[in-house]
Amino acid sequence: AAALQGRLVALSITGGDPARIVRLRSALARDAAIRPFLEALYAPAPEVLAPADDTIICRCEEVTAGTIRATVDLGAPGPNQVKSMLRTGMGPCQGRVCGLAVAGIIAARKGEDPQVTDYYRIRPPLKPIPLAELAGFAPGIAAE
Ligand code: FES
């Protein structure tokens, strides 16, 4: 599915053959049809989504699930406030490891859908680059 999505994106950007786009979308829909079954069959264990209080969630800052829950109980409404209070997401990985887990724990504690729980505010250093620069990327140059 990822390869099909990649081809679809490339064709969409370059204004590719519409018939080919339709075929790719059809193939993608076929591949994606099994997704609900796989998600049901390989659903993560409940303790993965609701870790025990002593489980370290933010490894960089050594913050546990219990501390995050306690911070929500004190009134922290979302990941950015938890970040301000506990430094979650401020370690060397900048929240890449803990971000989803922190947001999930907050959502569960607040009894809200994880889709509506905020996420860490993305902060610089960000390095946006033009698509043309990506398109002109010569493999091997960055591999040094
Ligand atoms: S694990 Fe939380 S900032 Fe790295």
Side-chain angles (χ1 to χ4, degrees):
L4 291 171
Q5 287 174 330
R7 287 188 200 116
L8 259 173
V9 168
L11 281 174
S12 299
I13 291 171
T14 60
D17 176 18
R20 189 168 177 212
I21 291 175
V22 168
R23 282 194 307 273
L24 283 172
R25 283 196 177 129
S26 175
L28 182 59
R30 243 188 344 267
D31 279 9
I34 197 167
R35 193 79 228 163
F37 171 74
L38 292 175
E39 287 177 4
L41 186 63
Y42 297 108
E47 60 270 17
V48 170
L49 300 175
D53 278 350
D54 63 347
T55 303
I56 291 181
I57 301 302
C58 179
R59 290 188 231 166
C60 296
E61 299 294 332
E62 298 183 1
V63 178
T64 65
T67 305
I68 294 167
R69 289 184 184 110
T71 305
V72 172
D73 292 346
L74 287 173
N80 290 300
Q81 293 75 26
V82 169
K83 179 180 182 179
S84 296
M85 296 170 81
L86 301 176
R87 295 190 48 84
T88 55
M90 296 174 81
C93 83
Q94 292 291 286
R96 288 176 187 88
V97 172
C98 66
L100 282 176
V102 169
I105 289 168
I106 294 168
R109 193 63 162 192
K110 293 175 67 182
E112 67 186 20
D113 186 324
Q115 297 294 322
V116 301
T117 303
D118 201 3
Y119 191 77
Y120 293 142
R121 201 168 297 115
I122 306 299
R123 295 192 177 274
L126 297 175
K127 307 247 189 266
I129 59 172
L131 185 58
E133 192 172 325
L134 270 181
F137 174 70
I141 290 177
E144 297 173 11

